Amino acid sequence: MELPVVRINEVSKYEGQDVELRGWLYNKRSSGKLHFLQVRDGSGIIQAVMFKGDVSPELFEQADHLGQETSVKVRGTVRADKRSPLGFELGVKDLEVVHEAREYPITPKEHGVAYLMEHRHLWLRSNRQNVIIRVRHTIEKAIRDYFDQNGFTLVDAPVFTPSACEGTSTLFEVPYFDLGKAYLTQSGQLYMEAAAMAFGKVYCFGPTFRAEKSKTRRHLTEFWMVEPEVAYMTLDEDMDLAEDFICFIVQRVLEKHEKELVEVLERDVSKLKSVQKPFPRITYDEAIERLQKAGHDAKWGDDFGGDEETVLANQFDRPVIVHRYPAELKAFYFKKDSNNPKLALGMDVLAPEGYGEIIGGGQREESQETLESAIQAHNLPMEAFNWYMDLRKYGSVPHAGFGLGVERTVAWLCGLHHVRETIPFARMMERITP
Amino acid sequence: MELPVVRINEVSKYEGQDVELRGWLYNKRSSGKLHFLQVRDGSGIIQAVMFKGDVSPELFEQADHLGQETSVKVRGTVRADKRSPLGFELGVKDLEVVHEAREYPITPKEHGVAYLMEHRHLWLRSNRQNVIIRVRHTIEKAIRDYFDQNGFTLVDAPVFTPSACEGTSTLFEVPYFDLGKAYLTQSGQLYMEAAAMAFGKVYCFGPTFRAEKSKTRRHLTEFWMVEPEVAYMTLDEDMDLAEDFICFIVQRVLEKHEKELVEVLERDVSKLKSVQKPFPRITYDEAIERLQKAGHDAKWGDDFGGDEETVLANQFDRPVIVHRYPAELKAFYFKKDSNNPKLALGMDVLAPEGYGEIIGGGQREESQETLESAIQAHNLPMEAFNWYMDLRKYGSVPHAGFGLGVERTVAWLCGLHHVRETIPFARMMERITP
């Protein structure tokens, strides 16, 4: 008789029934007449209990010697089991070895991070990494759902870009046929500005690249970023959007993963539950004051690094928005504050608990004349921006947007120290393998 | 009094009410005491009717001279209008010019394709391009929804890859710090195979790159591809998955866009409605016979190009699946047919109406020994595949998957001749701008 082939995260629908599970041996222990086989199939882990009296002596003996990660088909009866994290176990009636694994390189003992990163293709099979990547999936889906539900059009930005908008020092260069060179995108923003004029509300979401020579726990050379852009939107509305968006993501992650965050990642989820609207909003000026009061030697005009961000963020129980930075610190396309043209209408969202900036954005300059002056002041090649200036020539409107980095968001929500675990195959200065 | 600010695709909820629309002037005509202003805001186009008696003489005069793409805020009353495609029009009470556009470069007259591609940042504002990109969005969302609803985990594949799996001739090369060179991914498949062993059912979906020196209507250097991979899946189940997946996408597009496909893109949707399961499945051998019967001089061992694909696809009213190609035509990782080792367990899905291959995939070789021989036979560097071989050492299982190209799917469903219109900012041999 053909048994239903079932995934472990769906066994609850088959209580009392015989099923076939297809997976890998994650761990095992034995006690006399019983083998307790931890079987994983990617959707979950189940304890398969093999009683000596239920199977042939040969099979019982074989099961005692199976190596970790041996692939198996296990057949048996789904039984409720209140003690197990899953709530169910499998009473084994039969087991078929698909392929025997010997000396699997990642054992339950501790391995160094370099070793694990070198074995990333296998490390992904561990429960902790499985949970992190599934949380990442939930975050990426929440991001798309949020914008899809709110009338945004997905407009994929190109990866190949023709010229360096803000200096070439952190750009990856690619020889490109007879056209010379192309650069790998650092941001789709300029394209999203064009798209916002065509579709009103848009977002792009894809990999972006930064050839930065920094080996910190917050940097990858290849990372995913989502960038919404909205025509007729102002800075205040941009902050409203960022706030609402972050709350939506955090809520979704808690709904789907609270148990795993606590039990597998040991995340203090009370810190995530306090992520509710409204977020505190402070000006850059107030941020400087707060830093100085906290004994930090920051002065007006300084940019914020990880240290400053942490000091500021630690003063709040939820993300804090810092807005109106000195224009000199910001890119040419920021609109200036009409009350004080030394200030740019930019804003950053800093995550709590030392995770730093997860969102950067603001309102863009919509005047052709002002923008041309800014391009000249920044010594940028005007001809590279001809198409971008067209957006100010033909029906220019106020507009704003932001970018959110996926990996930092995953690190924050999962409570991870380093971003290298937040992406399936991390790329860093010193790593492009496996 | 503050009026509700409404997007055009939502005006039906405001019938009889006064609202404010924010957009751009798409087109206009006048007849004595009436201006008919076509206003677009990215979500749709509405006719705003300005009656001379309803506004100041100055405004009525000004409205007569507004240039195409002038940005405007229009206030007035939403009225049902059965004759309009939208079903509603706006009775104008007030109009505010945000920014006047003069001599917009894309007029309703015909422009050449090169000119339009050079002005892609503006061309996206035209109704036809708007519809295409929104259909693309629907397709991309349908792709994700399908896999998300069916228990797949999203596992983003890296763009930077360390070595050339199948020759470097069509790879983009990037200088990469002290590590020498990285290559831009052509496919996430090998990574998805690793991920399938960790998560059971996975997919990746992102941009991929091909430095092919071909200027055809089916080629881009940067294109989006989705690649599902499933542990314990065989070729037959792979074809079932591909078939079910395509039907889901086509159905979703018809549900959301049938009217626009017909009215704006002039698509014959009857051709899409016949895309129902089951798809015909023919072996490569049968395909050769059919080509020969059709007077084509194909012989066993030939690979199929656009011509052959079109001849075959035209024999059916829905996509056709061709399976079991000569192993020599296929990459090293294909599993051989146990009934005839000259055949690879690969399959392609050919779209009807001359759109050619939209899916390529198959079952992968799971034996370490056989795979090592294949790597040697293909003269590939074994050390580059050490991590990939690990998947065959530790709990190897049968597995299969495929890749679907987004742009060809958009071209097919929208009925477009060339893929350059299927992506917001196309990248081709001769184009990386704007």
Side-chain angles (χ1 to χ4, degrees), chain B residues 91-325:
Chain B
V92 178
K93 294 186 169 175
D94 188 23
L95 180 148
E96 178 188 330
V97 171
V98 177
H99 177 253
E100 224 177 312
R102 292 175 208 279
E103 297 177 34
Y104 183 68
I106 302 177
T107 54
K109 73 165 188 186
E110 289 273 320
H111 297 277
V113 169
Y115 180 87
L116 290 169
M117 288 301 289
E118 197 57 41
H119 292 84
R120 184 62 172 171
H121 54 293
L122 302 176
W123 190 23
L124 288 172
R125 301 183 185 188
S126 78
N127 194 29
R128 186 180 156 82
Q129 299 304 315
N130 180 292
V131 169
I132 293 169
I133 297 300
R134 286 191 295 105
V135 171
R136 178 186 169 94
H137 182 186
T138 295
I139 290 170
E140 296 199 327
K141 180 164 164 51
I143 287 169
R144 293 181 184 276
D145 286 348
Y146 182 84
F147 292 118
D148 292 345
Q149 288 165 16
N150 286 286
F152 286 71
T153 301
L154 171 65
V155 179
D156 294 311
V159 171
F160 287 132
T161 55
S163 68
C165 293
E166 302 175 53
T168 57
S169 64
T170 60
L171 283 172
F172 285 105
E173 230 177 74
V174 188
Y176 197 92
F177 304 108
D178 299 336
L179 299 179
K181 285 180 253 180
Y183 299 92
L184 301 185
T185 182
Q186 289 197 333
S187 158
Q189 182 201 315
L190 305 194
Y191 293 97
M192 288 309 100
E193 290 185 54
M197 304 304 140
F199 299 90
K201 301 168 82 172
V202 299
Y203 72 103
C204 63
F205 189 9
T208 48
F209 304 87
R210 205 155 293 185
E212 222 165 340
K213 289 199 173 169
S214 39
K215 297 186 187 180
T216 83
R217 65 190 186 86
R218 291 180 184 178
H219 286 92
L220 297 169
T221 56
E222 179 185 331
F223 57 100
W224 283 65
M225 186 154 66
V226 59
E227 294 174 274
E229 189 79 25
V230 181
Y232 289 99
M233 191 165 77
T234 60
L235 177 64
D236 280 347
E237 293 163 333
D238 199 28
M239 293 193 276
D240 294 343
L241 180 68
E243 180 180 85
D244 193 55
F245 172 58
I246 289 177
C247 290
F248 180 87
I249 295 172
V250 173
Q251 190 54 40
R252 177 75 71 84
V253 167
L254 284 172
E255 276 164 22
K256 286 205 66 171
H257 299 286
E258 180 166 352
K259 196 162 176 279
E260 292 168 308
L261 287 174
V262 173
E263 291 174 7
V264 181
L265 304 181
E266 296 171 338
R267 182 72 171 104
D268 177 358
V269 290
S270 71
K271 297 264 205 278
L272 300 180
K273 289 182 181 171
S274 58
V275 178
Q276 302 282 346
K277 292 196 283 188
F279 293 172
R281 298 180 187 189
I282 62 175
T283 62
Y284 172 88
D285 286 14
E286 188 183 338
I288 291 289
E289 268 176 47
R290 282 174 172 269
L291 286 168
Q292 289 170 345
K293 270 190 199 146
H296 204 284
D297 63 352
K299 61 182 188 307
W300 203 94
D302 287 355
D303 206 354
F304 296 158
D307 281 358
E308 291 84 352
E309 288 174 2
T310 301
V311 173
L312 285 172
N314 280 345
Q315 301 185 356
F316 303 94
D317 70 339
R318 63 197 71 191
V320 54
I321 307 181
V322 183
H323 57 91
R324 291 180 166 76
Y325 284 78

Side-chain angles (χ1 to χ4, degrees), chain A residues 3 19-20 73-77 90-96:
Chain A
L3 293 179
V19 301
E20 176 175 312
K73 295 181 181 176
V74 197
R75 300 174 196 104
T77 314
L90 193 78
V92 179
K93 293 187 169 175
D94 188 23
L95 180 149
E96 179 188 330

Side-chain angles (χ1 to χ4, degrees), chain A residues 114 117-118 221 426-434, chain B residues 176 179:
Chain A
M117 287 301 288
E118 195 58 40
T221 56
R427 297 300 184 239
M428 294 170 286
M429 252 189 89
E430 71 284 9
R431 171 164 301 285
I432 44 171
T433 53
Chain B
Y176 197 92
L179 299 179

